[in-house]
Amino acid sequence: MSSPATDSMYALQEIPGKGKGLVATRHIPKGTRILCEEPLFAIPNVMDLEKRCRFICQQVDSLSNEQRQAFLSMHNIHPFNDTEERDIGIFETNSLPAGGMPIPHTRAIFLEACRINHDCKSNAIYDWNTHIKRNTVHAVRDINEGEEITVSYVVILKTRESRQRTLKNTYHFTCRCSLCSLPNEQSQERDRKIAQIVRLGEFYVPKSTNSPPQALGYVDAQARLYNELYQEDCGHPYSYQYAVMIARAHGDLARIRVFAQRVVRSFVTILGTDSTESIQYANMAKNPASEPKLLSSSTRWKTSVNDIPQGLGPDDFEDWLWRREPVAALAQPMSPPSQSLFSGFADLAYKNGIDAAGCFQSRHSCFLAEIVETLVPHPLDLKIRDILGKTVQLHFYTKGEGTELEPSQYQRGHTVAVLNASQYVFEFGPRGIRQTDLEMTKVNTIAEHGLFCINLSTYPRNFCSSSC
């Protein structure tokens, strides 16, 4: 049952279009444990179907009248012809995992937690706490008084189409939450970032032993993308877990401590201080040297916990933590003739043709920049630096999402020119350039001196003439 200390946080109310749900009766800060609930009854998944169905009905029959009425008032998406089918349908509709992750071997009914409705942009998360044998619900962001408490019934890192399909097939409803109702262009932007996060996870696992700098770079990119999508969230603990693994594999105790602290901070917010994960990583952060060495461990990055730098600014500390390569300073300004042909990012029109001062810009422009870093290889995102030294991001929304370019083309120090470039205000992330036409993009593989040794004759005539 729910903890008495948390009863005043919410009330069971009718939600338009959803049936009953939990609504906050006061402000609930991020990280608050909203619920800590024992199961009404639990059913092992390892039973054969006939025995499992019989066991469900026996458990329902053993409930008190009050408990049975509460159970029978729950939603049922399955058709039924008798009380046995009814009870089984209610259980299958509402039961939650109760142990045995990642594949739950037990599912259970919780009178409070099972009432929480779905939202793809949920404000809470539920989890089975194996340490205390309870289902817990925590606020993943601040929840206002009168706001419905929601969780996501599906994995959050899914595209809109995938979420809608899963919810329709499994729960028989069409989600109309704020994320599912985004305009197509914004939804495409979000789905693209989700695809990048998932793909980066596929990249860094095999690289963690043989190419740790590259693997850590992929984890860094994954964490940054996640933070852009979930700005109010507590970070992506699983990215930090992989960062811990990479640091452990190469003897980097300093980074193990910092990454483990971030894992703890995330897990404490979403699972609580008494969760198995929070306890495990808190111990690791306290004494990284006590962790057993991995089979493929090395001393390639050997550090001690005393090697964590002090006094760095936030950006410099992140650069140290993720082992980011420093960006070389501009060697010399571009010559005036070249500056007259190429635009800096600040000079570009906005996507809607209105600049920052509200003036319409009709002039075509050719944007020239030096590639600083490949943020994500697929879909391709590049960090680039314009002729005035400003760093921005170039996102490829072409048909092949940047795969039309060979990796050897977009290396650090190479230059890229974009005809008719414009500033694009992204919904999830900073302003940048959204490139949809590869014909309007040219990459010059100049690596030694970057964009300051550009031979303008190497660019098609329309690149230069259109910008004048």
Side-chain angles (χ1 to χ4, degrees):
M1 304 302 169
S2 60
S3 168
T6 63
D7 285 347
S8 61
M9 291 188 194
Y10 60 85
L12 183 64
Q13 297 181 11
E14 286 289 338
I15 308 295
K18 292 185 176 182
K20 293 185 181 296
L22 301 189
V23 176
T25 55
R26 63 177 176 83
H27 175 76
I28 303 175
K30 181 172 75 171
T32 300
R33 176 167 287 179
I34 302 171
L35 262 174
C36 182
E37 188 177 13
E38 292 179 331
L40 183 64
F41 64 88
I43 306 294
N45 279 342
V46 293
M47 293 180 176
D48 62 64
L49 182 60
E50 182 179 349
K51 185 176 180 181
R52 187 167 181 268
C53 292
R54 186 167 61 250
F55 193 37
I56 291 172
C57 295
Q58 290 172 351
Q59 292 295 310
V60 174
D61 289 341
S62 67
L63 298 175
S64 68
N65 287 335
E66 183 180 356
Q67 290 172 332
R68 188 181 299 109
Q69 288 305 312
F71 173 78
L72 294 177
S73 69
M74 290 183 173
H75 187 55
N76 185 0
I77 63 174
H78 302 283
F80 59 90
N81 297 310
D82 52 40
T83 57
E84 180 177 307
E85 290 182 354
R86 176 201 64 192
D87 294 348
I88 294 169
I90 293 174
F91 180 86
E92 298 296 350
T93 301
N94 297 278
S95 61
L96 299 174
M101 298 303 286
I103 301 175
H105 57 61
T106 302
R107 295 188 68 85
I109 290 293
F110 302 89
L111 290 182
E112 303 289 324
C114 290
R115 291 290 193 180
I116 303 177
N117 288 317
H118 165 83
D119 195 300
C120 295
K121 192 179 181 180
S122 60
N123 53 28
I125 186 171
Y126 48 31
D127 182 74
W128 175 255
N129 187 315
T130 58
H131 188 66
I132 61 174
K133 302 296 188 292
R134 300 284 192 280
N135 179 281
T136 62
V137 178
H138 289 82
V140 297
R141 59 176 174 82
D142 288 354
I143 303 175
N144 296 321
E145 180 180 352
E147 184 180 353
E148 184 184 8
I149 298 168
T150 58
V151 296
S152 179
Y153 292 176
V154 297
V155 177
I156 61 174
L157 293 178
K158 282 182 175 288
T159 63
R160 177 166 66 179
E161 180 182 356
S162 179
R163 295 195 312 272
Q164 291 277 8
R165 183 171 58 250
T166 299
L167 291 169
K168 190 69 174 178
N169 293 341
T170 306
Y171 300 99
H172 300 190
F173 71 86
T174 300
C175 183
R176 294 182 174 84
C177 71
S178 60
L179 289 184
C180 289
S181 303
L182 284 173
N184 286 336
E185 199 166 274
Q186 292 181 9
S187 185
Q188 181 189 16
E189 176 193 340
R190 190 176 187 279
D191 287 351
R192 185 178 186 274
K193 287 185 182 293
I194 287 173
Q196 289 174 319
I197 291 172
V198 173
R199 189 173 294 272
L200 283 166
E202 299 169 355
F203 287 155
Y204 59 63
V205 174
K207 296 282 187 182
S208 59
T209 301
N210 299 327
S211 183
Q214 189 175 15
L216 192 62
Y218 288 150
V219 181
D220 180 14
Q222 187 184 58
R224 283 190 277 185
L225 285 167
Y226 185 90
N227 290 336
E228 289 177 0
L229 284 182
Y230 301 96
Q231 296 178 16
E232 299 176 308
D233 208 335
C234 52
H236 194 217
Y238 306 106
S239 294
Y240 297 133
Q241 280 181 302
Y242 275 110
V244 167
M245 181 188 72
I246 295 169
R248 282 182 63 196
H250 301 285
D252 195 340
L253 298 183
R255 287 176 177 80
I256 291 175
R257 168 166 284 180
V258 177
F259 285 130
Q261 288 171 340
R262 295 191 178 188
V263 175
V264 173
R265 189 160 60 243
S266 295
F267 277 138
V268 164
T269 300
I270 63 177
L271 304 179
T273 57
D274 54 7
S275 70
T276 302
E277 296 86 348
S278 297
I279 294 170
Q280 175 191 351
Y281 280 91
N283 291 333
M284 185 184 299
K286 184 177 180 180
N287 188 7
S290 66
E291 290 298 309
K293 292 184 178 180
L294 300 178
L295 292 177
S296 58
S297 61
S298 75
T299 57
R300 180 172 181 172
W301 288 349
K302 185 177 181 180
T303 62
S304 74
V305 292
N306 296 323
D307 291 328
I308 299 174
Q310 306 297 319
L312 295 180
D315 292 341
D316 290 337
F317 187 82
E318 292 300 304
D319 290 344
W320 167 83
L321 179 63
W322 295 101
R323 292 182 172 269
R324 296 170 184 163
E325 293 185 25
V327 178
L330 288 171
Q332 56 182 319
M334 179 172 275
S335 63
S338 297
Q339 287 186 20
S340 67
L341 292 174
F342 297 102
S343 300
F345 182 74
D347 297 324
L348 298 179
Y350 281 74
K351 177 177 177 287
N352 59 3
I354 305 296
D355 67 9
C359 301
F360 186 80
Q361 295 185 346
S362 59
R363 180 176 68 90
H364 292 296
S365 59
C366 184
F367 176 78
L368 183 69
E370 178 183 16
I371 297 175
V372 172
E373 180 185 357
T374 300
L375 294 172
V376 186
H378 184 215
L380 182 60
D381 284 351
L382 299 175
K383 180 187 286 187
I384 55 179
R385 181 169 57 185
D386 71 7
I387 60 175
L388 300 177
K390 180 175 178 57
T391 301
V392 297
Q393 294 183 18
L394 171 60
H395 307 269
F396 283 82
Y397 278 76
T398 56
K399 185 176 181 180
E401 297 182 315
T403 58
E404 302 94 336
L405 299 175
E406 293 294 330
S408 59
Q409 290 181 266
Y410 49 84
Q411 297 298 309
R412 172 182 286 217
H414 293 182
T415 58
V416 58
V418 182
L419 183 63
N420 295 343
S422 61
Q423 295 188 42
Y424 188 90
V425 181
F426 289 94
E427 181 71 17
F428 306 98
R431 276 185 301 164
I433 297 175
R434 185 181 190 272
Q435 185 60 353
T436 58
D437 187 356
L438 200 64
E439 294 296 320
M440 294 294 185
T441 306
K442 180 174 176 61
V443 179
N444 195 320
T445 56
I446 298 175
E448 186 175 357
H449 299 293
L451 62 86
F452 305 107
C453 293
I454 288 291
N455 180 355
L456 297 181
S457 65
T458 64
Y459 288 87
R461 185 171 184 81
N462 66 323
F463 265 78
C464 297
S465 61
S466 296
S467 63
C468 298

